[in-house]
Each structure stands twice: as C-alpha cells, then as structure tokens.
Amino acid sequence: MQLTVNTSKPYEIIIERGCLDELGGRCAALFSAGAKAAVISDSNVFPIYGERAMASLREAGFAPSSFVFPAGEGSKQLSTVGDMLGFLAQQGLTRSDFLVALGGGVTGDMAGFAAACYLRGVSFVQVPTSLLAQVDSSVGGKTAVDLPQGKNLAGAFHQPALVLIDPDTLGTLPPLFFSDGMGEVIKYGCIRSRALFDTLRDAADLTPQMESILFSCVDCKREIVEHDEFDTGERMVLNFGHTLGHALEKAHSYTGLTHGAAVGIGMVLMAHLGEHMGLTEAGTTEQIASLLEKYGLPVSDSTPLDQIVEATALDKKGLGGDLRIVLLRTIGDSFVHRLPRAEFARLCREAFAEWEGR
Ligand SMILES: NC(=O)c1ccc[n+]([C@@H]2O[C@H](COP(=O)([O-])OP(=O)(O)OC[C@H]3O[C@@H](n4cnc5c(N)ncnc54)[C@H](O)[C@@H]3O)[C@@H](O)[C@H]2O)c1
C-alpha cells in the first residue's frame, strides 16, 4: 500500500510487510549512488533490525554508518541530538547524504530534529517500528526534543523524504507499547472514521488486517496534515483527548500511565463532556470506553478532578481567554469548539463528576 503526502515537500509512505529489506532500493530512487546514510536508532531496536537496514543500504550502493542511543524518552534531549550532530560531522555527511530514523517516536523525533539542524537541513527517511510511530509520529514532519521545562519544547517542522512502514516489526514490540499505540489508532476512528472504529470493535485478531488498519490511520493523518501542515487550525483535531491526557500524564509525573492510556482516558472524558453539553450523540462515551477496554486501556483514573481541570485550563492550546477543545458530534466526526476557560472548567467539573460517579 502506498500514499503520497502533498505537503510543501511531497513524499511517499509505503506500508508493506517486509519492506524493511527494501530500504536501500527505495532510497536509491531518491539519493545518488554512493551517498552516505546515517542510521539513527536506539539500543532496543538496532540489535533487532539494524543489520537488515544497514545491509539493504549497502546492497543499494550507499555507505551506511550507525548512531545508537539508549532507548527511552529520557534520551530525547538536546544533549543526545548534540552527540548525533557531532557524529554526522565526524562521518563527513554533506547535504547530498541522508539520515534514516529506525525506531519508535523518540528516534524519529530526534533524528528528524538533527536532520532539520545539520547543515541547515538534510534529508531523512522514517522507518518507524513502534505502533505509535507507524500511525502517528513518522508522518507530518513534527520533530522535537524535550527540555527540563517540558515535553517537545524545542523542535522544527521538517518533512521526511520517505516513510517506510513494515508492519512485521510490530511482532517484537513489547505489549505495553502496542496497547499504548492502540490509544492513537482508536483516536483516528473517533475523529475521522466510523469504519475504522467498527473494524477495531469487531476484529477478533488485528494481525491479518494490520496493513489496512495502519493505512486508514496514516491516510487520516495525511489528509489533515495536507490541509494544515504547520498546525494552525484543522490539525488540532488530532489532539482529541490529548489536552486532558497531557494533564493526566503530568499528574503521574510521566511514569505509571502511558501516553496512549492517558489519551484514552482523555477521549472518554471529552466525549462525556460533549454529551453533557448536548453536542455529542448520546452513547458515544460508552462506545469509546468499551473499545479502549477491549485493547487493555483504562477509562478512568484516580487523579483528583480539580487537578486535571486546572492543568487543562492552563494548556498551551488556548487562545487568549478562550480554550479550543476537540469534541465529537458522533464517532468519526470531530470538530473544534471554542469556549471561555472558566466555562470549560465549570462544565468539566460537572461532567467528570458524573462520569466518575456512574
Ligand atoms: N512527531 C510527532 O508528531 C509525534 C506524535 C506523537 C508522539 N510523538 C513522540 O513519540 C514518542 C513516543 O513514541 P514511542 O512510543 O514510539 O516511543 P519510543 O521510541 O521510546 O518506543 C517505545 C519503546 O519501544 C521500543 N521499540 C520500538 N519499536 C520496537 C520494535 N519493533 N521492537 C522492539 N522494541 C521496539 C523502543 O526501544 C522503546 O523502548 C514521544 O516522545 C512523543 O512525544 C511525536
């Protein structure tokens, strides 16, 4: 399966079982023979898939090298990107060379940021291996690192030259990270595709349908990103459940509750808020909650409501005194709603107390 993302710099997304071995051949269509390729990966992914990626690049006539950093969000820092940039310079990469991000969202975000900075911008190829990276972070050109003051505070928009998604790599992904990614997959169903939502609800085993599920998610992100490459409007619907999710992650000090789990709870609460406001079809919250539960994700949390509401009202996605929130009309149909912060806080308190006490 193949898609073209028509952003300022268009690029292809390939979704195909086993396509990791085509990495070199696919890059040969984009870069000159003999070009240097720096494979950026983490300490979990490189030992499993690194040699296949390097061999494929070598066979296609490229000169690959590798930079491997310790796996985990803790590495997503300026210092790691600094080391990465030093490595690229040491290897003598020029603007006709390229980077390959082989790994999850942490790898893609950092390699993309390094590619945006190195020599004021070199090309990079995304080879996402986690579910979250395959359906979300590898597409759309957002790159970033965390600062001590908060997540993803330094970054750049830099679109990849190619995205190569091999669903077979999910076979080695630890189950916790698989369900984490399912939070985002379910989100796409909620915001854009009733058909995807129903497939997820009805499937006994996702494996045989994984390619088409990944395609649906990526196609949804493609469409939204094409309309709003630099995140000034429509792209906001991708944040359904995220504002509350971030507040919950923060309340848990970014440990104990995964991003997907936090977003899942956020989606449930926002659906319930929409129902409470009479803007979301009755019964939507229950449908989302039972789908999340099917994939092992929680639908409520013990964090005090006031703490969540307060953190949410301070969220950066505000607009002057107003907040813009993402709500559903029904499953598959989302919209952005603007309301005063104080009103939002009041409605949340009412709606969330109702949900917790159900
Ligand atoms: N740029 C964007 O648009 C965007 C969107 C969403 C999230 N993100 C970012 O993505 C990051 C989270 O991504 P993530 O969950 O992929 O984190 P991650 O990159 O840390 O990967 C999760 C874990 O799975 C391991 N792993 C990945 N693929 C594997 C495989 N196939 N087999 C075995 N182990 C594997 C990794 O080593 C890591 O331990 C966050 O930093 C978040 O901010 C970015």
Side-chain angles (χ1 to χ4, degrees), residues 42-45 48-49 71-73 76 103-109 128-133 136-144 146 151-152 168-174 177 180 184 221 235 242 259:
D42 75 21
S43 54
N44 291 335
V45 174
I48 313 178
Y49 300 109
E73 185 74 28
K76 209 174 118 175
V106 167
T107 302
D109 275 14
T129 61
S130 71
L131 181 55
L132 184 134
D136 189 359
S137 61
S138 65
V139 177
K142 280 190 182 178
T143 75
D146 302 333
K151 278 194 68 173
N152 295 325
D168 284 350
T169 60
L170 298 177
T172 55
L173 187 69
F177 289 107
D180 190 40
E184 295 293 340
K221 182 147 186 191
R235 196 160 170 166
H242 281 59
H259 175 73

